[in-house]
Amino acid sequence: MVDRLANSEANTRRISIVENCFGAAGQPLTIPGRVLIGEGVLTKLCRKKPKARQFFLFNDILVYGNIVIQKKKYNKQHIIPLENVTIDSIQDEGDLRNGWLIKTPTKSFAVYAATATEKSEWMNHINKCVSDLLSKSGKTPSNEHAAVWVPDSEATVCMRCQKAKFTPVNRRHHCRKCGFVVCGPCSEKRFLLPSQSSKPVRICDFCYDLLSTGEMTACQSARSDSYSQSPKSSLNEVSDDDDDEDSSD
């Protein structure tokens, strides 16, 4: 069905509409063979609080952005190549229901759908697109992904030293390797994580010690496993303290 739609006028028109909704600031999305599979609003768990984001699933990429005017205008476009994506279901907890993790080497985060049916459809379609891409390319699924950030609200004190209390002066920082919320003194070191940045990024002392001794995945796998079993709120990295979407993420 995807191959049949690839060169159809209806598909071309739908993709053009998405491009226009992002305006001149968005990247062009129309390329030969690309098909728009589906779209919808998902709740993305950002650093400060959950926020509604518009998502578009294509057969090769996942695109999302901030909602300015529903169905008409979006900004801060993000494009994620699907061949690098791994998704994991996460358990319902309180008001956070029907969620799953979207994990890639550069960015990982949790999203939630409005219903269990919607969640199932999103996950099934994403998995099918990823499977088809990997089958065509002969590549293997990525086994490396960026840490999902622990949200600010879950840490009143540093998660490493367990002593430093966070205040307007003593700010929260996030380790790019494990995603923990840490104080400045516990995250003074930087380490090059090529999949996330071309420059050394902030990491906590614990992860620095593991990375320096060659235990490259120990601290990340422990964090991601615990998150998958007991989800709360989350997000990921770009600048030292802010997500790339806006200053409050």
Side-chain angles (χ1 to χ4, degrees):
M1 180 177 179
V2 170
D3 291 338
R4 187 172 72 250
L5 291 173
N7 299 311
S8 69
E9 291 185 8
N11 178 66
T12 301
R13 185 168 59 253
R14 291 177 68 201
I15 296 179
S16 178
I17 291 173
V18 176
E19 286 183 335
N20 292 335
C21 286
F22 278 104
Q27 296 185 36
L29 299 172
T30 303
I31 65 170
R34 177 168 289 164
V35 176
L36 178 58
I37 305 296
E39 61 184 89
V41 177
L42 298 173
T43 298
K44 181 176 181 289
L45 296 188
C46 300
R47 176 178 177 180
K48 298 293 185 182
K49 61 182 179 179
K51 297 180 182 179
R53 297 288 187 251
Q54 180 71 29
F55 281 77
F56 299 92
L57 176 64
F58 296 83
N59 59 329
D60 61 335
I61 57 174
L62 182 66
V63 178
Y64 70 93
N66 295 6
I67 300 170
V68 179
I69 303 175
Q70 184 66 44
K71 298 290 185 181
K72 292 184 178 181
K73 186 176 181 181
Y74 312 109
N75 64 11
K76 298 187 178 179
Q77 182 192 71
H78 296 259
I79 299 177
I80 302 174
L82 282 179
E83 65 178 16
N84 296 327
V85 167
T86 301
I87 60 175
D88 287 328
S89 179
I90 48 182
Q91 299 173 2
D92 294 343
E93 180 173 313
D95 294 334
L96 300 177
R97 308 179 65 84
N98 310 313
W100 68 97
L101 295 178
I102 296 175
K103 302 186 295 184
T104 80
T106 58
K107 186 179 184 70
S108 301
F109 54 90
V111 293
Y112 286 82
T115 66
T117 299
E118 186 179 346
K119 169 186 174 178
S120 178
E121 291 176 349
W122 271 101
M123 292 190 70
N124 287 338
H125 284 307
I126 292 173
N127 276 327
K128 179 65 165 58
C129 290
V130 173
S131 176
D132 289 347
L133 282 171
L134 293 177
S135 177
K136 290 179 180 179
S137 67
K139 296 180 180 179
T140 57
S142 175
N143 59 5
E144 180 183 2
H145 60 268
V148 177
W149 278 15
V150 176
D152 287 359
S153 60
E154 287 186 27
T156 57
V157 299
C158 175
M159 297 178 71
R160 287 304 181 196
C161 70
Q162 300 291 320
K163 296 178 181 178
K165 293 183 178 180
F166 296 119
T167 68
V169 176
N170 187 30
R171 300 177 61 195
R172 293 170 172 83
H173 301 278
H174 279 83
C175 172
R176 272 43 174 187
K177 186 62 179 173
C178 67
F180 277 20
V181 184
V182 290
C183 64
C186 285
S187 59
E188 292 180 339
K189 297 181 176 65
R190 293 178 179 265
F191 199 92
L192 181 62
L193 302 177
S195 62
Q196 295 190 35
S197 174
S198 60
K199 299 179 181 179
V201 294
R202 180 188 294 272
I203 61 174
C204 67
D205 292 347
F206 177 78
C207 289
Y208 182 85
D209 290 342
L210 288 177
L211 290 165
S212 298
T213 56
E215 299 182 39
M216 292 295 289
T217 61
C219 55
Q220 179 174 314
S221 60
R223 170 60 193 157
S224 62
D225 289 347
S226 64
Y227 184 92
S228 298
Q229 294 167 8
S230 180
K232 304 228 186 246
S233 311
S234 74
L235 187 61
N236 186 43
E237 89 86 35
V238 170
S239 66
D240 273 0
D241 300 293
D242 298 323
D243 179 60
D244 51 344
E245 294 179 357
D246 59 55
S247 61
S248 63
D249 280 10

